[in-house]
Each structure stands twice: as structure tokens, then as C-alpha cells.
Amino acid sequence: MALRLVADFDLGKDVLPRLRAQRAEAAGGGADILEDYNGLRLLNVERNGNIVYTYKDYKGNVVFGLYDCQTRENEHLYTFEKDLQVVSCSVNRERTLLAASFVQSTKEGRRNELQPGSKCLTLLIEIHPVNNVKVLKAIDSYVWVQFLYPHVERHPLPASRLLLISEERYIEQFHIQVSHEDGNRVVVKNSGHLPKDRIAEDFTWAQWDMSEQRLYYIELKKCKSILKCIQFYADENFSLMFEAPLDIPLNDSGFKLVNFGYDYCQDQKELSKHPTLCVFTSHTGSLCVCYCPKFDSWEQITYSVFYFHKGYSKTFTAALGRAGSPLTTGITFLNLDYYVAVYLPGRFFHLLDIQHPDLACHSLFLTGNSEMVDLLPQNPLQSLPGSLVVDWCSGKLYRAHLNQSYLLQFLWNTCQDCEKMAALHCVLSCGQDSRLLEDKIIQWISEPVPACHSFDLIQEFIVASAYWSVYPEASHLDRLLLYSSVHTWNEEIPGVTLVTEEIALPVMRVHSFKGYWEKLNSNLEYVKYAKPHLRYHNSVVKREWQDLNSEEKTGKRRSVAFVRNILDNAAKVISNLEARTLEPRLAPLLQEEDSPQRLLMGLMVSELRDHLLRHLQGMEKKRIEHMALSYVSKLLDLMCCILETSWKKHNLQSRILCFNRPASAAESSVFHIMTRILEAAHSLFLPLPPGFHTLHTLLGVHCLPLHNVLQYIDNRVLLLTETAVTRLMKDLDNTEKNEKLKFSIVVRLPPCIGQKICRLWDHPMSSNIISRNHVTRLLQNYKKQPWNSTIDKSSFRIEFLPLNYFIEILTDLESSNQALYVCEGHDHVDAEFVEEAALKHTTMLLGL
């Protein structure tokens, strides 16, 4: 399945064997050993990953234990010698204090003796060693407890802070000072009067983020839901970070807590009758609120995701597939960093891209007829920070990953364009063994896969892979670089309809930001002020590149330093390309100068670097330069890898381009893949590896009929580079077919190349072209002079007055302007050469 859950902790494997061993040891091997422990269940997962659990011993006493995720050892915390039902429990960072709340027993008509008349008892217990017990609350409503875990290096801390959440809809923070007595014994100072703060009141929903030490809660003001967030700091302070209006009805939803441990009061089988709400964040500065109202239909389900960092919400309506069968579990939202997984066991599975949620095609939507849906856990799961997932019912803690192997297989097998797009981005975002993943995708691309009608598969792969290769290096690259070649998507997603609406942005209540809050505020500012489109597109260098190419042809150059910097950038890219592979490449790329492509890649590096410098002002210039070089190098390396894979697959090696035999099917396949690469690069104006055009043209001439070759040349699919044409002139013999090809190519060459190429073709036609160019150059500034009627006929091989007169004029021009009209590389072209070419041409025309 697409979601891979790796068990980090299992009560049945990590705790139960130890308890059985202890009981066997205590019984001396003679007493019966129970197969299970009464009430063994998970209670809490603390910030450091340690897990608090509880069970009842054979006397009915409540026992608290801790599983250390680092040492993978179990530790006994405390035994409460009463038969009570545990509501909540938390242990402080130093493992010196335990807070727990109980539902007092009514067994056999007896109430708890500690606080008669109360329903829930909340205790603070000294456990290093076990000593005093203080009653924090004894009230008729449920209470949940949670110690704060400040991220500090100092150990141990002189104080602990405890959150107390009451069903009466208030949250308090207790400040607990401790002291050390008689060595290592830890006791609570002034336990009779613990200072406390009222954190929140009149809330209807709350969620705890144990990793970032944040508290989210919702207040109802004038029948409107207001989401608030409190950030707790290591110095015992806290701040209200933001307020955000939520357009969701919570008036009659009751009281709900998320991530405060296992809620044994909630009947897990009745979850479908209650709304589901959770807040997800990521290190990129995203803030999402996922909401699903209580179900009112067995045929479809509606849920909403509020992308606050983007300024809009999306409401999804999904078909449930198995119509008529009742729902026994609620919807599950899981935070997977760049994605949010939404699924209903056995019905549907959605992977929502929260970093790039604009287009539906970047998210994966699967319905109940998919194997992926049926393989997901049937128990309700709770998402914790750090891609952790807890199954309270079975007592298991998982680490969730996207299953790369499954997604690759799905990518290969699916026929839907939207699913191909989504699966491709899911795979590339995983970030593990990226080179291996890319190689597998390239192998798939090289196969004759069904065409994508909605997007260019190679183009999308190149753009997305290059984006993800540099994305971890800086924040906000999603709005500075292209992450997809597709900008609009109007096709329907099977089984899903969605509606997008603008939403009010959170109002930040602080003015100094660090870490996550700085990134979130930057995202909100970007949305608020509707900044122009900032994503880099290489078309910005098109005119500059064309100007440089024109200067190259005319010999006129602007600043030498500017051009040298551009070529230095290109040289660094080529060096990166050569360093990315240990074995020599089989495909003959990077073996020629290819000045136009070097200029284009150098310009792209320069322009991209300037673009990033403008918008990443807090980053070092060297890091940005390295990022620009890495990005351009990655684009070109992917193109080389696609061609190299195809080359190896067809085992071309040295047998390539033997013009004395027909083209093979392997050569035709490679030509086809090169044409696809060219098309992918062309619309985005991306550079190509030096030598690409030469190889592509030679393959095209070898594989295509003459009329197709000329059509490709005229439409600039095949580019006549000097290297390619030179090889054609040398390798092709002068059969009638090849003469037509050579002439058709020569007449399409620009003059600067045509002069050189004609010298390589020993043929009357090439002599004719050379002569015409020579005459044109000599006569371009010629002024007619009075005619001298005396011509020395003895100096001409044939008596033909017009030709004799014309050659005499050329001879005079050559002699008077010898230095001006010397053509570099064509020192044997003169009037005599022109005369000979003219006579040969006339002879051919007359059929003599």
C-alpha cells in the first residue's frame, strides 16, 4: 500500500513479555501466569518519545510504567493501591513527578475515600523516590494532564510545568518548584500553594502538539469558531501566536480533545457520528486545519482542508464505493510532512499535497476498489508530530512513510493522467535514495509507456526532480522555482469533486518571529499582499541568449568579462555533470564545444542566481551560487541519464551511425527518446547537454526518409550544427540520394557555416556555391567603371565574351583589394576557380 506503517512500539511485544517474566519470577515458577494483563493500555506519548502505559496487577491496583524509546527498556513509575480507572497520565522530563487523573470507582457501591462526592481525582505524585501525593483537583468533570517539555540542555530543571485541561472547558498551567533533599530525593516545594495560570477558557476543542509544545484550541464567539494557538517557551513564558476564524459549525459538537492521550470515554465504534478536526503544521511554514463533519450519508463523505498558508480552503466530496454498508469508524487524517493522508478504512485513500495544493492533479485520490485502500489499518489512528501514528486500541505506535516501491508500481500501472502526475510527485518528494528512484523512473520512461495526454511526462519528471533536488536547501523555494510543468488542470478527478474558496488569514498576535513562525508569517504576507508571480522561468534569458549568439556569428562581442563569466558558469556545470558519474558515458555527449548551449546554460546559472539572491536575502551568496549551479546541473544530468539509459537498453555502443547500412530499430528508438527530450526542453527554454543537437541530427538523418529529414530541419526539430554537417559530408558517399541530401542541407546552412562545409564536399554543386558566395562578397561594394574594349583573349581558356569580361572584373577586384577580400580558410578561391566552376556548371546544364 502507499502508506507504510513501521511499528516503533507495541505493547504486546515491548511490554507484555517483561510483565509476564516478572510475574513468573515472583511466583517462583509455580503459580499460574496470566496470558494477559487487565487494562494494559497506552496512556501517553511524551515529547522525547517515551511512552507511558498502565495496567492493573493481580490485586487490582493501578500500575504506571514507562517505556524508554532510546534504551528500549521498561521502568516502573508508580503503583496506586486503589481500583480506579485512569483517565490521563503524564511524567515530567526528569521522571521525578507523575501527574494522573482517575475516575473514582463506584464498585460495590463504595466511592473513593480520598475525596468523597467527586467524580474525577487528579493527583501529583513524587516518584523519585515514591513519596508524597498531592490532590490537584477533585471535581465532577473529567480532567486531562500534560507536563511541558522545554527544549533545554540544562538537566535537571528546578521546576516543572503541568497543563491541566478540564471538561468544564478551561486550561490551567501549574508551576511546580522542586528541591533535592537527602541526596537525590526530589520533593515539591510549597506543595500546598502551587502557582497557576489560566491559559484558556470557554473552548470547545483543543489539540496538543507535543513536539513543538503548542496548544491549539477553538473558542466560540457569537456562534463563530475562532482557532487560537499558544506557544510555550523554555523560560516558563507562553504567547498567543495567532487567531484564525474557521467557517465550521461546532455549536453542537460537544467537547473534544486531540493528542492528550487515549480517550477511553470515547466509544471508538461511534466515531463516525462525531466531527473530526485536527491541525497540522510542517517545517516549511504550512498550517492546515482538516475537518470532517459527522456523517449523514453512506454513499459519500465530505471533508474540508483549510490551507491557511495559501489563503484558501478546499472541500472534497468523495464517493464511498460500497454503498449501503454502514460506517463503523471515523475518517482519519495523518500528517506526513509534505502530505496529509485522508482515509476511511475500506472506502477511500487520499494523499493531499499541502505544499503545492493549487492543482488537484498533484494529490492522489483512490477509491474503495483499490488494493491500497483495503490494506490500510481498520482501527482508528491518531496522527502525532514527526509522522508518528498511534493506534490507541491495539497499543501500537507507528512511524508513517510513503511506500516508494508501491507508488512506483502504481505509477507504472495506472492509466489515469492525474494519478500518474500525483504518483510521480509523491515518489520524488520522498527524498530517500533519490538517485535510485530517478533511475527506476527513467527506465520506465524509456519503455513504450502509454502517452500522457494532459502533460509531457519527461518534462514533468525533469522539472519536478530538479526542484526536489534543491528544495531542502532553502525555505519558500516552492514560490521561486517551478515544481511542475503544468499550470492549469481542468480535467475531472474520478470519484472526487472539490470546491475551492478563499478564507480569512490568521491574525498574528506577536511581532517577533523565529523558526516555524517566521516561515508561516512569510507565507501569510505573501498571500496577503498578492505579490506577483515569482517563479523562475528560463524564457527570461531568451533574448539575451539570441543576442549573444548573433554576436558570436558576427564576431562582435560585448564586455569580455561578462562573456567570460557566462562561459565560466557553463564550465562549472559541465564539470558537475562529469563528476556525477563514475563510469564514462556511452552516449557521445559533452564531447564538443557547442557554444550556443554553453552560453544558454551559463546564462541560466547567472539569471537563476540573481533571481534567488533577490528573494533569499538572508542566505549566504555562496550557498545560493551553489544552489543555482546544482539546479542547472541536475536538469542537464537528468537529460543525460534518460539518453544514457536508452543507449544501454538498446546496446548501441560503437555500432551507432554507420551510414553504409540501414538504421536499426534500436537507433530509431533512441532517436525517438531524444526527440521527446528536445520537446520537453524546448517549451521551457532549457539548455541541452553539449553535443545533443549533433547526435540528434545524425540519428535523424540516418533514421528518417529525406522528406521527413528536411521537414524536421525546417521546423528546427533537427538543428544543423557544424559538427553534424561536417560528419555527414565526410561519411556519406555521392550517390544520387546522398547528393540530394547534401545539397538540401548545404542550402539550408547559414553562410558562416556553409562556406566551411562546401570546402569538404568535392562536388560541382559545392564549387558553384563557393563561387557564388565569393562573387557576392567581391561585388557587394562594386562601382561600375568605363569599359575597356581591349581584352587579351590569350589569357582565357575559352572565348566567350561575357564570361571573359566578368572574370577580368573579378581579377581586377582581387588584385586591388587582396587584403580586404581574403576569405579565412578559403585561400584557393579566386577568379580562376570561379571561371572553372561556371564552365562546369554550364556544361552540366547543357548536358555535355
Side-chain angles (χ1 to χ4, degrees):
M1 57 182 179
L3 190 63
R4 185 163 60 95
L5 300 178
V6 180
D8 269 11
F9 171 80
D10 184 348
L11 274 175
K13 295 180 179 179
D14 296 311
V15 175
L16 193 56
R18 167 187 171 271
L19 299 181
R20 287 173 176 166
Q22 287 180 343
R23 178 169 298 184
E25 183 180 351
D32 291 337
I33 301 173
L34 296 179
E35 287 299 317
D36 200 355
Y37 273 69
N38 182 26
L40 177 61
R41 59 187 175 89
L42 227 61
L43 284 177
N44 203 356
V45 181
E46 303 288 4
R47 181 183 189 179
N48 55 14
N50 292 342
I51 296 168
V52 181
Y53 56 87
T54 185
Y55 61 92
K56 291 186 178 181
D57 62 16
Y58 65 98
K59 296 180 180 179
N61 299 327
V62 178
V63 182
F64 296 98
L66 180 139
Y67 177 79
D68 191 317
C69 66
Q70 299 296 325
T71 64
R72 300 207 170 267
E73 296 291 335
N74 287 277
E75 177 182 335
H76 174 263
L77 295 178
Y78 183 69
T79 299
F80 195 66
E81 296 180 352
K82 299 289 181 180
D83 185 9
L84 302 177
Q85 177 68 54
V86 181
V87 176
S88 175
C89 180
S90 183
V91 64
N92 69 341
R93 179 170 173 261
E94 294 76 21
R95 304 185 198 175
T96 57
L97 299 175
L98 181 77
S101 60
F102 306 87
V103 177
Q104 302 201 58
S105 174
T106 57
K107 187 176 181 180
E108 297 178 0
R110 294 182 291 105
R111 299 191 64 84
N112 191 285
E113 299 176 358
L114 291 177
Q115 295 290 337
S118 59
K119 175 181 177 182
C120 185
L121 183 67
T122 307
L123 304 178
L124 177 66
I125 306 165
E126 299 169 355
I127 59 172
H128 189 76
V130 173
N131 193 19
N132 299 319
V133 177
K134 173 178 173 54
V135 178
L136 294 178
K137 293 281 182 181
I139 55 179
D140 280 334
S141 59
Y142 291 106
V143 172
W144 290 261
V145 290
Q146 178 61 58
F147 274 105
L148 300 182
Y149 274 59
H151 186 69
V152 293
E153 296 181 358
R154 186 173 53 173
H155 189 278
L157 293 174
S160 292
R161 288 179 291 161
L162 176 70
L163 293 182
L164 188 147
I165 303 92
S166 171
E167 193 181 21
E168 295 178 351
R169 306 195 179 193
Y170 64 83
I171 302 176
E172 294 178 331
Q173 177 184 217
F174 284 84
H175 299 264
I176 306 168
Q177 297 288 332
V178 298
S179 62
H180 292 76
E181 298 179 357
D182 302 330
N184 291 327
R185 189 161 69 95
V186 177
V187 297
V188 177
K189 296 171 60 176
N190 196 20
S191 61
H193 298 87
L194 295 177
K196 61 182 178 181
D197 306 311
R198 183 63 64 97
I199 302 295
E201 294 180 303
D202 299 327
F203 69 94
T204 187
W205 172 94
Q207 175 180 315
W208 175 243
D209 184 335
M210 53 94 168
S211 177
E212 301 298 334
Q213 300 289 280
R214 297 178 193 139
L215 175 68
Y216 302 94
Y217 63 97
I218 292 178
E219 291 182 354
L220 295 178
K221 292 185 177 180
K222 298 180 180 180
C223 298
K224 292 185 178 180
S225 301
I226 306 296
L227 174 67
K228 297 184 178 183
C229 176
I230 290 177
Q231 175 73 67
F232 293 94
Y233 303 105
D235 60 0
E236 300 193 17
N237 290 324
F238 60 90
S239 299
L240 175 64
M241 300 305 296
F242 69 78
E243 296 182 2
L246 276 176
D247 186 17
I248 54 176
L250 289 179
N251 298 335
D252 58 349
S253 62
F255 178 79
K256 178 69 175 177
L257 296 179
V258 178
N259 291 352
F260 281 97
Y262 178 68
D263 186 0
Y264 91 98
C265 307
Q266 176 69 63
D267 185 354
Q268 300 298 315
K269 295 183 179 180
E270 298 295 324
L271 286 176
S272 61
K273 299 180 180 179
H274 298 273
T276 303
L277 179 69
C278 49
V279 177
F280 292 146
T281 62
S282 76
H283 67 281
T284 61
S286 65
L287 173 62
C288 292
V289 175
C290 303
Y291 170 72
C292 179
K294 51 186 178 180
F295 300 172
D296 55 6
S297 171
W298 289 351
E299 297 180 356
Q300 64 182 27
I301 185 173
T302 298
Y303 67 89
S304 299
V305 179
F306 296 80
Y307 302 95
F308 280 109
H309 58 293
K310 297 293 183 180
Y312 55 75
S313 69
K314 289 182 180 289
T315 299
F316 302 86
T317 301
L320 294 183
R322 303 168 187 172
S325 56
L327 299 174
T328 58
T329 59
I331 195 171
T332 298
F333 296 103
L334 301 179
N335 187 4
L336 304 177
D337 201 9
Y338 296 128
Y339 287 85
V340 167
V342 187
Y343 82 91
L344 195 61
R347 304 305 180 101
F348 70 83
F349 178 86
H350 297 170
L351 267 179
L352 305 182
D353 189 338
I354 62 171
Q355 201 61 30
H356 316 111
D358 299 358
L359 303 182
C361 60
H362 292 137
S363 298
L364 185 61
F365 301 92
L366 300 173
T367 54
N369 57 1
S370 170
E371 178 188 1
M372 185 187 302
V373 176
D374 291 328
L375 289 175
L376 290 169
Q378 299 298 306
N379 290 335
L381 302 180
Q382 181 66 56
S383 184
L384 300 179
S387 297
L388 291 175
V389 178
V390 60
D391 182 347
W392 298 110
C393 296
S394 65
K396 295 180 181 180
L397 182 69
Y398 301 97
R399 195 166 297 275
H401 306 277
L402 291 178
N403 191 334
Q404 297 175 349
S405 299
Y406 188 95
L407 287 170
L408 277 173
Q409 196 66 37
F410 180 80
L411 174 63
W412 296 336
N413 295 334
T414 184
C415 297
Q416 298 282 347
D417 282 4
C418 58
E419 292 179 347
K420 286 181 183 177
M421 171 80 79
L424 177 64
H425 280 268
C426 287
V427 169
L428 293 174
S429 69
C430 292
Q432 301 171 357
D433 299 324
S434 58
R435 190 68 195 197
L436 180 61
L437 282 174
E438 288 168 356
D439 289 343
K440 290 181 178 180
I441 295 173
I442 288 172
Q443 289 175 6
W444 171 64
I445 289 175
S446 301
E447 299 291 336
V449 296
C452 294
H453 303 287
S454 307
F455 65 98
D456 185 318
L457 183 57
I458 289 182
Q459 187 179 76
E460 186 68 18
F461 167 66
I462 290 173
V463 170
S465 187
Y467 166 80
W468 284 108
S469 71
V470 298
Y471 181 78
E473 297 186 28
S475 303
H476 312 310
L477 282 182
D478 57 310
R479 59 182 186 233
L480 299 179
L481 293 176
L482 286 176
Y483 60 83
S484 175
S485 62
V486 176
H487 306 297
T488 59
W489 188 270
N490 299 318
E491 297 185 18
E492 293 184 359
I493 306 295
V496 176
T497 58
L498 62 93
V499 177
T500 302
E501 296 178 307
E502 290 188 3
I503 57 175
L505 296 178
V507 178
M508 303 304 293
R509 294 304 186 187
V510 295
H511 304 289
S512 178
F513 305 99
K514 292 182 180 180
Y516 165 81
W517 298 113
E518 181 180 7
K519 296 176 183 178
L520 174 62
N521 186 64
S522 176
N523 286 332
L524 297 178
E525 293 291 305
Y526 180 77
V527 175
K528 186 186 302 181
Y529 296 108
K531 294 182 179 179
H533 187 69
L534 297 180
R535 291 194 183 99
Y536 176 83
H537 196 288
N538 208 41
S539 59
V540 297
V541 305
K542 187 172 185 178
R543 179 173 295 181
E544 188 79 20
W545 179 71
Q546 291 171 339
D547 291 344
L548 283 174
N549 274 322
S550 299
E551 294 169 6
E552 177 85 11
K553 294 173 183 177
T554 59
K556 299 177 182 178
R557 280 290 182 90
R558 64 186 74 184
S559 167
V560 175
F562 172 77
V563 177
R564 184 186 300 118
N565 178 60
I566 297 301
L567 294 177
D568 285 347
N569 290 339
K572 293 175 183 177
V573 172
I574 299 298
S575 177
N576 282 353
L577 286 177
E578 293 173 342
R580 284 173 183 261
T581 178
L582 299 176
E583 300 177 357
R585 299 182 190 269
L586 295 178
L589 296 178
L590 313 179
Q591 296 179 5
E592 64 178 272
E593 185 64 24
D594 202 344
S595 179
Q597 292 306 312
R598 287 178 181 264
L599 288 173
L600 181 55
M601 69 177 71
L603 277 171
M604 183 176 182
V605 171
S606 179
E607 188 65 30
L608 179 58
R609 179 192 60 220
D610 294 343
H611 173 76
L612 295 176
L613 283 170
R614 283 192 297 270
H615 302 291
L616 297 176
Q617 298 180 357
M619 185 177 289
E620 295 179 1
K621 184 177 180 181
K622 286 186 177 180
R623 282 188 62 192
I624 291 179
E625 289 177 348
H626 177 265
M627 192 186 308
L629 273 173
S630 298
Y631 182 79
V632 178
S633 301
K634 184 66 174 181
L635 289 171
L636 291 164
D637 182 55
L638 291 169
M639 299 178 195
C640 291
C641 288
I642 295 173
L643 180 56
E644 187 76 7
T645 300
S646 184
W647 205 275
K648 291 179 179 178
K649 174 187 172 184
H650 297 290
N651 196 28
L652 291 184
Q653 299 181 359
S654 60
R655 298 189 295 107
I656 185 67
L657 297 177
C658 296
F659 290 104
N660 59 355
R661 60 168 177 80
S664 65
E667 290 168 336
S668 297
S669 296
V670 173
F671 172 73
H672 177 67
I673 201 77
M674 290 190 75
T675 304
R676 291 175 60 194
I677 296 172
L678 180 66
E679 291 173 350
H682 177 72
S683 61
L684 296 177
F685 204 70
L686 300 178
L688 290 160
F692 184 93
H693 280 299
T694 294
L695 182 58
H696 187 229
T697 298
L698 292 175
L699 277 170
V701 170
H702 193 41
C703 297
L704 297 175
L706 176 59
H707 66 278
N708 289 127
V709 171
L710 300 181
Q711 186 180 25
Y712 275 43
I713 292 173
D714 292 337
N715 288 285
R716 299 191 63 77
V717 177
L718 296 179
L719 200 63
L720 295 174
T721 66
E722 184 176 344
T723 305
V725 178
T726 299
R727 179 163 177 187
L728 289 174
M729 293 300 163
K730 289 182 177 180
D731 290 2
L732 292 175
D733 56 22
N734 285 330
T735 61
E736 182 179 355
K737 176 184 175 182
N738 288 343
E739 282 187 356
K740 288 182 180 180
L741 172 62
K742 289 182 179 181
F743 177 71
S744 300
I745 289 176
V746 167
V747 296
R748 286 169 167 79
L749 293 173
C752 58
I753 299 179
Q755 287 285 351
K756 300 178 183 178
I757 297 303
C758 286
R759 297 290 299 176
L760 301 174
W761 185 20
D762 185 14
H763 190 274
M765 192 57 66
S766 65
S767 300
N768 185 25
I769 295 172
I770 293 172
S771 300
R772 286 176 181 272
N773 291 334
H774 181 66
V775 170
T776 300
R777 187 168 56 253
L778 285 174
L779 296 180
Q780 61 186 354
N781 295 319
Y782 172 68
K783 293 182 180 180
K784 188 175 181 180
Q785 301 295 330
W787 178 56
N788 182 4
S789 61
T790 61
I791 295 179
D792 184 6
K793 299 179 181 179
S794 63
S795 61
F796 298 99
R797 289 179 289 178
I798 187 169
E799 185 177 344
F800 179 51
L801 189 58
L803 178 61
N804 299 155
Y805 174 68
F806 182 63
I807 296 302
E808 183 177 341
I809 292 174
L810 294 181
T811 304
D812 290 342
L813 286 173
E814 287 176 348
S815 60
S816 60
N817 300 286
Q818 185 175 1
L820 179 63
Y821 293 114
V822 169
C823 180
E824 185 177 342
H826 301 279
D827 49 329
H828 293 296
V829 181
D830 53 16
E832 184 178 351
F833 181 90
V834 173
E835 179 185 24
E836 182 180 350
L839 292 173
K840 287 182 178 181
H841 184 61
T842 303
T843 302
M844 289 176 59
L845 291 177
L846 295 176
L848 300 176

